[in-house]
Amino acid sequence: MSYALPAVIYVVIIGTVFSPDVQPVLAKAFGREPFGFPVAWVVAAIQAIVLFPFVFAMHHFMLIAGQAAADGRSIGKVGLLVYAANVGKLHPHLRRSQIISVAGLVYFVVICGTWIAYADAKGI
């Protein structure tokens, strides 16, 4: 499951680029044919590259969630985040997963913030 769910999320995020509702926004942001290719394909390729490291962060967070479930801890939103913050002390073998998960979250927030700033600058 720690591989399947991140892969599904990755595919869904990239797949949303091809939605007809998204096309006008992409055209405003990047033009109709950046680099001579349809905008949806260019954005999908860039997203696939840029978001690929986030897949590893999701995988490591799923390892932490699995350990939380095995320990009988709450896997609700708040309970899982509290557990993830302390898992390195309880299970030293998950310390690396803890660091990768936090780094992935920071990476994702930076990517989202960059998109928001770019879209705001373009008036989208």
Side-chain angles (χ1 to χ4, degrees), residues 1-11 54-56 58-59 62:
M1 183 59 105
S2 69
Y3 291 106
L5 186 61
V8 168
I9 291 171
Y10 180 67
V11 169
F54 188 62
V55 173
F56 292 106
M58 287 188 293
H59 163 71
M62 291 297 297

Side-chain angles (χ1 to χ4, degrees), residues 55-117:
V55 173
F56 292 106
M58 287 188 293
H59 163 71
H60 283 279
F61 191 75
M62 291 297 297
L63 293 176
I64 292 170
Q67 185 64 56
D71 288 352
R73 299 290 179 96
S74 169
I75 54 173
K77 295 173 190 172
V78 175
L80 187 56
L81 290 176
V82 170
Y83 183 83
N86 298 310
V87 73
K89 295 175 189 170
L90 301 170
H91 299 283
H93 68 280
L94 288 174
R95 191 174 316 260
R96 180 173 173 255
S97 291
Q98 184 182 29
I99 292 167
I100 292 172
S101 295
V102 170
L105 177 61
V106 170
Y107 181 74
F108 187 71
V109 168
V110 167
I111 290 170
C112 289
T114 302
W115 167 250
I116 290 168

